């Protein structure tokens, strides 16, 4: 049975993976499951977009060449880059590929993601995911506090 009928509860930590390389997908899935995430996978660009718009994923990892021959053809990445911030702010978005230098801020900024990870460091993926999520939470702490106080004041 696939994960198409996998329900997400309030206590779950959902994560979404978009990979074309099966070995990398299995390594990412194992790392996220060790960290306690409930992992879903997308097989196509449209599958990714349907899943992403239905569930507030805490972590999203996209392979550089997901269903594409070049990063320029990666429709999922381009869609995420053009999405309004309020639609993706809840996720730590990680771009994984062989052309990145892990945690290079300018590369992450260029692709409008939380962080980039080089595929040669997949053996450290669990720790790299933890750091990326922690960095994202730290970066958004003030925003989330301001948003919560505005919601509380509006009630």
């Amino acid at each position: 049975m696939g994960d198409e009928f996998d329900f997400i509860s309030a206590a779950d930590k959902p994560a979404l993976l978009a990979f074309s390389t099966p070995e990398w997908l299995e390594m990412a899935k194992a790392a996220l499951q060790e960290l306690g995430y409930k992992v879903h996978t997308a097989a196509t660009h449209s599958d990714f977009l349907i899943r992403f718009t239905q569930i507030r994923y805490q972590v999203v990892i996209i392979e550089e060449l997901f269903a594409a021959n070049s990063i320029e053809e990666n429709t999922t990445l381009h869609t995420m880059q053009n999405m309004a911030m309020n639609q993706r702010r809840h996720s730590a978005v990680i771009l994984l590929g062989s052309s990145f230098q892990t945690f290079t801020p300018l590369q992450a900024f260029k692709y409008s993601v939380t962080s980039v990870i080089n595929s040669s460091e997949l053996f450290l993926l669990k720790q790299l995911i933890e750091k990326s999520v922690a960095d994202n939470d730290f970066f958004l702490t003030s925003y989330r506090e301001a948003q919560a106080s505005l919601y509380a004041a509006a009630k």
Side-chain angles (χ1 to χ4, degrees), residues 2-130:
D3 55 4
E4 61 196 55
F5 298 110
D6 192 13
F7 295 102
I8 302 292
S9 74
D12 288 330
K13 298 179 356 180
L16 181 59
L17 302 177
F19 281 77
S20 291
T21 307
E23 300 83 27
W24 293 2
L25 172 64
E26 290 308 314
M27 293 176 79
K29 189 184 280 187
L32 285 164
Q33 288 172 337
E34 282 183 40
L35 293 170
Y37 288 92
K38 186 175 264 189
V39 181
H40 292 165
T41 59
T44 64
H45 297 297
S46 61
D47 186 28
F48 178 90
L49 292 175
I50 290 168
R51 289 178 181 274
F52 188 78
T53 55
Q54 292 177 341
I55 296 173
R56 291 179 61 90
Y57 288 99
Q58 294 180 8
V59 175
V60 172
I61 304 177
I62 302 169
E63 183 180 342
E64 176 182 23
L65 301 179
F66 172 60
N69 294 316
S70 69
I71 196 165
E72 292 79 20
E73 294 177 4
N74 189 333
T75 302
T76 296
L77 178 62
H78 289 289
T79 302
M80 291 290 288
Q81 291 170 326
N82 294 315
M83 228 176 244
M85 283 306 294
N86 64 344
Q87 292 177 299
R88 62 187 186 123
R89 187 175 291 129
H90 52 84
S91 300
V93 180
I94 299 169
L95 186 60
L96 187 139
S98 59
S99 65
F100 307 119
Q101 185 173 354
T102 299
F103 289 128
T104 303
L106 284 178
Q107 286 183 318
F109 180 76
K110 177 181 178 182
Y111 294 107
S112 194
V113 296
T114 305
S115 58
V116 294
I117 295 176
N118 188 288
S119 55
S120 68
E121 299 189 65
L122 274 168
F123 68 97
L124 292 171
L125 191 56
K126 183 178 163 189
Q127 294 85 354
L128 298 174
I129 291 169
E130 286 180 308

